[in-house]
Amino acid sequence: MSTLLIHSARQLLTLRGGPGPRRGPELNQLQIIGDGAVLIEDGIIREVGPTRRLENLNAARKAREISAAGRVVMPGLVDCHTHLISGPSLLTEGGGSLPPHAPIDARTMLANVPYVREATSKRLMAEAVNALRRCLSYGTTTIEAKSGYGLNASTELKILRVLTALGDAPITIVPTFSAAQVVPPEFEDRAGDYLEWLRSDLLPAVHKRGLARFVHASCDLGAFSAAQLRPFLDSAHALGLPLKLSLSRYGPAGGAELFRDHSFTSADHLDYLNEDGIVRIAESGTIAVLTPAASFFLGGRQHAPARALIDRGVPIALATNYSRVTCPTYNMQLAIFLACHRNGLNAAEAVTAATINSAHALKLGHRCGSIEEGKQADLIILGVGDYRELAYEFGVNLVDVT
């Protein structure tokens, strides 16, 4: 048995709490233990508490030790919305290209679709592994990864197979089928035909092979309308696949009506979400995923109405929306910083949103997102003595150890 004792943390952020995502005032309850310690056996958290108590346990006496003296220990960060396999940067040879100063919208991703279609599984896996190493170095221990840069049967299945083959070590990967984002060139001006093909052909194939834990669709400018998406969402629901919805990233595109008829695990982006959308999300119990780094990269002045969502009792989560095309950052620390400075969250709310609530946005709140007995020992040690530095310092990596 492998035993590890992390001890003497100046602040141990446990985020202990109830079984569901945190709402309202609960977002501020980090359940901090001063001079805290964590005892880990074979990768599972066994004891959490003050260092003095844990050091006296029999199991701790033979444990390998890591001193976190003067530092913060907290749950690993959970990135619940990424496009891990999205091809190269548009600036590099082999990547797609855009006209100078072209606006970034839902169709921008089409620039890299040819590359991803032509790339071998081996190449896509190597690129994904490289990105995952960087994610780990910045403290991300669980990541959702969407398909969507293939938009045909062979490439969408190829992406999902690569994501599945990557497994859960050392970083937990949650694959999501995300072909309902934009119309591919071969279906130009035939959005209905494309969605019907997805619904009747590709979606059942993905489900039969067990390649996705979620189905994601986009109701946005340059993507699909609520009316167009409804049959596709109905079919995904009938197959028992949990749903995720992106809406209102590039402009007010409606979509709130979908919450009347469908249950979504999360609603993502939300930059142009209006009052009706806020009410619908609140009534549905859906988790609202903020992607402030994506908003920053777009250069827009519109930001998701986080405070209005919190005031309505909506649980808030954070994600990077990492993509080599539309949001080239895998740094969840940056997402925390921007959520505080652009969306009006305080440091405690942002930490909760980036850990336990993001875990619930992936239906993994029982496994990760907090430091509690029986959960995976997904932890990070920050090289600072106060977690609030995450909302203060930026452009640096505060993680000492993942």
Side-chain angles (χ1 to χ4, degrees):
M1 178 178 291
S2 173
T3 306
L4 174 66
L5 178 67
I6 302 173
H7 61 84
S8 306
R10 186 174 186 273
Q11 293 178 338
L12 174 60
L13 279 57
T14 68
L15 283 99
R16 285 183 169 180
R22 313 296 155 77
R23 295 173 166 84
E26 296 173 345
L27 290 164
N28 288 285
Q29 297 171 8
L30 302 183
Q31 304 298 339
I32 299 174
I33 299 174
D35 190 17
V38 185
L39 183 66
I40 300 161
E41 293 180 345
D42 293 336
I44 302 297
I45 298 168
R46 295 306 181 195
E47 294 281 348
V48 181
T51 295
R52 180 175 295 182
R53 181 175 71 81
L54 265 64
E55 283 181 331
N56 289 323
L57 296 175
N58 287 332
R61 292 171 183 168
K62 296 181 180 180
R64 183 168 64 92
E65 296 186 14
I66 295 178
S67 174
R71 297 182 288 176
V72 173
V73 176
M74 61 178 285
L77 301 171
V78 179
D79 195 346
C80 61
H81 183 130
T82 82
H83 305 266
L84 182 64
I85 295 177
S86 50
S89 164
L90 299 187
L91 304 178
T92 60
E93 185 176 354
S97 61
L98 293 171
H101 311 298
I104 295 176
D105 61 18
R107 291 163 293 195
T108 303
M109 60 175 290
L110 293 175
N112 264 8
V113 166
Y115 172 91
V116 178
R117 286 181 175 182
E118 294 172 10
T120 64
S121 295
K122 184 177 180 180
R123 184 167 188 174
L124 294 180
M125 180 171 287
E127 293 173 353
V129 168
N130 184 52
L132 289 171
R133 288 197 188 103
R134 296 180 180 184
C135 291
L136 281 167
S137 72
Y138 279 84
T140 297
T141 53
T142 298
I143 191 169
E144 184 260 17
K146 301 184 190 300
S147 68
Y149 277 81
L151 305 180
N152 63 21
S154 61
T155 314
E156 287 293 304
L157 293 173
K158 175 175 66 177
I159 293 171
L160 291 169
R161 287 192 186 101
V162 169
L163 295 174
T164 301
L166 286 168
D168 278 349
I171 183 170
T172 300
I173 300 171
V174 178
T176 294
F177 176 55
S178 189
Q181 292 190 84
V182 65
V183 180
E186 56 267 33
F187 281 90
E188 187 175 3
D189 298 325
R190 294 188 295 127
D193 291 343
Y194 175 64
L195 285 173
E196 175 57 25
W197 172 74
L198 285 184
R199 185 194 70 78
S200 60
D201 287 39
L202 188 50
L203 180 63
V206 169
H207 177 256
K208 181 179 180 180
R209 291 165 174 79
L211 293 174
R213 299 189 206 174
F214 292 94
V215 170
H216 167 258
S218 181
C219 184
D220 210 335
L221 299 183
F224 300 102
S225 69
Q228 289 172 326
L229 285 174
R230 190 169 282 108
F232 173 77
L233 295 172
D234 287 341
S235 294
H237 175 73
L239 292 172
L241 289 165
L243 302 175
K244 290 178 170 287
L245 181 70
S246 288
L247 71 161
S248 305
R249 177 185 181 187
Y250 299 107
E257 62 188 82
L258 290 170
F259 290 92
R260 290 182 303 199
D261 305 319
H262 299 90
S263 175
F264 296 97
T265 302
S266 71
D268 301 20
H269 292 310
L270 311 177
D271 289 3
Y272 288 85
L273 189 68
N274 59 24
E275 179 63 23
D276 182 48
I278 294 172
V279 171
R280 298 284 187 191
I281 291 174
E283 291 175 344
S284 69
T286 302
I287 297 173
V289 176
L290 311 183
T291 54
S295 306
F296 173 79
F297 188 68
L298 287 173
R301 298 181 180 179
Q302 191 78 16
H303 308 293
R307 292 254 59 94
L309 288 163
I310 291 171
D311 290 344
R312 289 275 188 175
V314 176
I316 301 294
L318 278 178
T320 61
N321 186 57
Y322 169 68
S323 160
R324 293 296 289 155
V325 179
T326 59
C327 188
T329 184
Y330 37 74
N331 186 353
M332 279 292 287
Q333 297 171 59
L334 178 62
I336 289 172
F337 175 86
L338 290 173
C340 294
H341 289 265
R342 295 292 186 94
N343 298 102
L345 274 64
N346 63 40
E349 291 170 332
V351 165
T352 301
T355 54
I356 187 62
N357 275 10
S358 282
H360 280 293
L362 299 177
K363 294 185 178 292
L364 291 178
H366 62 291
R367 285 177 50 186
C368 61
S370 62
I371 302 177
E372 301 181 80
E373 291 84 354
K375 286 194 173 185
Q376 294 175 181
D378 295 348
L379 312 178
I380 55 177
I381 302 176
L382 305 183
V384 293
D386 193 315
Y387 76 90
R388 292 175 295 179
E389 293 282 358
L390 288 166
Y392 185 69
E393 293 194 47
F394 67 101
V396 296
N397 186 3
L398 296 180
V399 173
D400 276 354
V401 181
T402 303

